[in-house]
PDB file of all heavy atoms in Angstrom:
ATOM      1  N   SER A 325      10.503 -11.242  -0.045  1.00 93.00           N
ATOM      2  CA  SER A 325       9.278 -11.168  -0.860  1.00 93.00           C
ATOM      3  C   SER A 325       8.919 -12.557  -1.353  1.00 93.00           C
ATOM      4  O   SER A 325       9.559 -13.078  -2.278  1.00 93.00           O
ATOM      5  CB  SER A 325       9.482 -10.216  -2.040  1.00 93.00           C
ATOM      6  OG  SER A 325       8.399 -10.334  -2.951  1.00 93.00           O
ATOM      7  N   LEU A 326       7.879 -13.138  -0.742  1.00 94.00           N
ATOM      8  CA  LEU A 326       7.456 -14.477  -1.155  1.00 94.00           C
ATOM      9  C   LEU A 326       7.133 -14.543  -2.658  1.00 94.00           C
ATOM     10  O   LEU A 326       7.546 -15.490  -3.332  1.00 94.00           O
ATOM     11  CB  LEU A 326       6.237 -14.934  -0.344  1.00 94.00           C
ATOM     12  CG  LEU A 326       6.500 -15.371   1.099  1.00 94.00           C
ATOM     13  CD1 LEU A 326       5.182 -15.701   1.782  1.00 94.00           C
ATOM     14  CD2 LEU A 326       7.425 -16.550   1.157  1.00 94.00           C
ATOM     15  N   PRO A 327       6.360 -13.577  -3.176  1.00 97.00           N
ATOM     16  CA  PRO A 327       6.032 -13.661  -4.609  1.00 97.00           C
ATOM     17  C   PRO A 327       7.264 -13.524  -5.507  1.00 97.00           C
ATOM     18  O   PRO A 327       7.288 -14.070  -6.611  1.00 97.00           O
ATOM     19  CB  PRO A 327       5.033 -12.524  -4.841  1.00 97.00           C
ATOM     20  CG  PRO A 327       5.148 -11.650  -3.656  1.00 97.00           C
ATOM     21  CD  PRO A 327       5.657 -12.458  -2.536  1.00 97.00           C
ATOM     22  N   TYR A 328       8.260 -12.808  -5.069  1.00 97.00           N
ATOM     23  CA  TYR A 328       9.486 -12.691  -5.862  1.00 97.00           C
ATOM     24  C   TYR A 328      10.247 -14.000  -5.810  1.00 97.00           C
ATOM     25  O   TYR A 328      10.703 -14.538  -6.825  1.00 97.00           O
ATOM     26  CB  TYR A 328      10.348 -11.552  -5.320  1.00 97.00           C
ATOM     27  CG  TYR A 328      11.470 -11.140  -6.242  1.00 97.00           C
ATOM     28  CD1 TYR A 328      11.277 -10.170  -7.221  1.00 97.00           C
ATOM     29  CD2 TYR A 328      12.745 -11.753  -6.164  1.00 97.00           C
ATOM     30  CE1 TYR A 328      12.305  -9.789  -8.081  1.00 97.00           C
ATOM     31  CE2 TYR A 328      13.754 -11.384  -7.012  1.00 97.00           C
ATOM     32  CZ  TYR A 328      13.545 -10.401  -7.971  1.00 97.00           C
ATOM     33  OH  TYR A 328      14.563 -10.038  -8.831  1.00 97.00           O
ATOM     34  N   ARG A 329      10.360 -14.532  -4.599  1.00 97.00           N
ATOM     35  CA  ARG A 329      11.131 -15.751  -4.378  1.00 97.00           C
ATOM     36  C   ARG A 329      10.536 -16.925  -5.144  1.00 97.00           C
ATOM     37  O   ARG A 329      11.254 -17.659  -5.832  1.00 97.00           O
ATOM     38  CB  ARG A 329      11.165 -16.031  -2.880  1.00 97.00           C
ATOM     39  CG  ARG A 329      12.006 -17.211  -2.437  1.00 97.00           C
ATOM     40  CD  ARG A 329      12.033 -17.264  -0.909  1.00 97.00           C
ATOM     41  NE  ARG A 329      12.584 -18.500  -0.405  1.00 97.00           N
ATOM     42  CZ  ARG A 329      13.864 -18.693  -0.123  1.00 97.00           C
ATOM     43  NH1 ARG A 329      14.759 -17.741  -0.315  1.00 97.00           N
ATOM     44  NH2 ARG A 329      14.286 -19.864   0.346  1.00 97.00           N
ATOM     45  N   PHE A 330       9.208 -17.080  -5.047  1.00 98.00           N
ATOM     46  CA  PHE A 330       8.605 -18.235  -5.703  1.00 98.00           C
ATOM     47  C   PHE A 330       8.710 -18.110  -7.221  1.00 98.00           C
ATOM     48  O   PHE A 330       8.977 -19.079  -7.933  1.00 98.00           O
ATOM     49  CB  PHE A 330       7.137 -18.433  -5.303  1.00 98.00           C
ATOM     50  CG  PHE A 330       6.528 -19.626  -5.991  1.00 98.00           C
ATOM     51  CD1 PHE A 330       6.780 -20.909  -5.542  1.00 98.00           C
ATOM     52  CD2 PHE A 330       5.768 -19.463  -7.141  1.00 98.00           C
ATOM     53  CE1 PHE A 330       6.269 -22.026  -6.200  1.00 98.00           C
ATOM     54  CE2 PHE A 330       5.260 -20.578  -7.818  1.00 98.00           C
ATOM     55  CZ  PHE A 330       5.508 -21.848  -7.347  1.00 98.00           C
ATOM     56  N   GLY A 331       8.500 -16.898  -7.730  1.00 97.00           N
ATOM     57  CA  GLY A 331       8.573 -16.704  -9.190  1.00 97.00           C
ATOM     58  C   GLY A 331       9.955 -17.063  -9.710  1.00 97.00           C
ATOM     59  O   GLY A 331      10.114 -17.801 -10.689  1.00 97.00           O
ATOM     60  N   LYS A 332      10.963 -16.564  -8.992  1.00 96.00           N
ATOM     61  CA  LYS A 332      12.328 -16.836  -9.410  1.00 96.00           C
ATOM     62  C   LYS A 332      12.625 -18.334  -9.388  1.00 96.00           C
ATOM     63  O   LYS A 332      13.259 -18.893 -10.274  1.00 96.00           O
ATOM     64  CB  LYS A 332      13.263 -16.103  -8.461  1.00 96.00           C
ATOM     65  CG  LYS A 332      14.447 -15.580  -9.163  1.00 96.00           C
ATOM     66  CD  LYS A 332      15.181 -14.468  -8.706  1.00 96.00           C
ATOM     67  CE  LYS A 332      16.442 -14.530  -9.601  1.00 96.00           C
ATOM     68  NZ  LYS A 332      17.585 -14.010  -9.028  1.00 96.00           N
ATOM     69  N   LEU A 333      12.150 -18.952  -8.318  1.00 96.00           N
ATOM     70  CA  LEU A 333      12.369 -20.380  -8.124  1.00 96.00           C
ATOM     71  C   LEU A 333      11.699 -21.196  -9.227  1.00 96.00           C
ATOM     72  O   LEU A 333      12.320 -22.045  -9.882  1.00 96.00           O
ATOM     73  CB  LEU A 333      11.739 -20.715  -6.768  1.00 96.00           C
ATOM     74  CG  LEU A 333      11.962 -22.020  -6.090  1.00 96.00           C
ATOM     75  CD1 LEU A 333      13.425 -22.250  -5.895  1.00 96.00           C
ATOM     76  CD2 LEU A 333      11.270 -21.981  -4.736  1.00 96.00           C
ATOM     77  N   ALA A 334      10.418 -20.948  -9.417  1.00 97.00           N
ATOM     78  CA  ALA A 334       9.637 -21.741 -10.379  1.00 97.00           C
ATOM     79  C   ALA A 334      10.220 -21.604 -11.779  1.00 97.00           C
ATOM     80  O   ALA A 334      10.349 -22.586 -12.517  1.00 97.00           O
ATOM     81  CB  ALA A 334       8.171 -21.309 -10.356  1.00 97.00           C
ATOM     82  N   TYR A 335      10.586 -20.394 -12.133  1.00 96.00           N
ATOM     83  CA  TYR A 335      11.130 -20.144 -13.474  1.00 96.00           C
ATOM     84  C   TYR A 335      12.522 -20.746 -13.608  1.00 96.00           C
ATOM     85  O   TYR A 335      12.836 -21.434 -14.595  1.00 96.00           O
ATOM     86  CB  TYR A 335      11.172 -18.634 -13.727  1.00 96.00           C
ATOM     87  CG  TYR A 335      11.396 -18.278 -15.168  1.00 96.00           C
ATOM     88  CD1 TYR A 335      10.319 -18.211 -16.062  1.00 96.00           C
ATOM     89  CD2 TYR A 335      12.664 -18.001 -15.662  1.00 96.00           C
ATOM     90  CE1 TYR A 335      10.503 -17.887 -17.386  1.00 96.00           C
ATOM     91  CE2 TYR A 335      12.869 -17.676 -16.998  1.00 96.00           C
ATOM     92  CZ  TYR A 335      11.777 -17.613 -17.852  1.00 96.00           C
ATOM     93  OH  TYR A 335      11.971 -17.299 -19.172  1.00 96.00           O
ATOM     94  N   GLY A 336      13.358 -20.485 -12.601  1.00 95.00           N
ATOM     95  CA  GLY A 336      14.749 -20.954 -12.663  1.00 95.00           C
ATOM     96  C   GLY A 336      14.887 -22.471 -12.649  1.00 95.00           C
ATOM     97  O   GLY A 336      15.856 -23.022 -13.182  1.00 95.00           O
TER      98      GLY A 336
END
Side-chain angles (χ1 to χ4, degrees):
Chain A
S325 169
L326 285 176
Y328 193 89
R329 184 175 168 91
F330 180 79
K332 216 154 168 209
L333 191 57
Y335 194 85

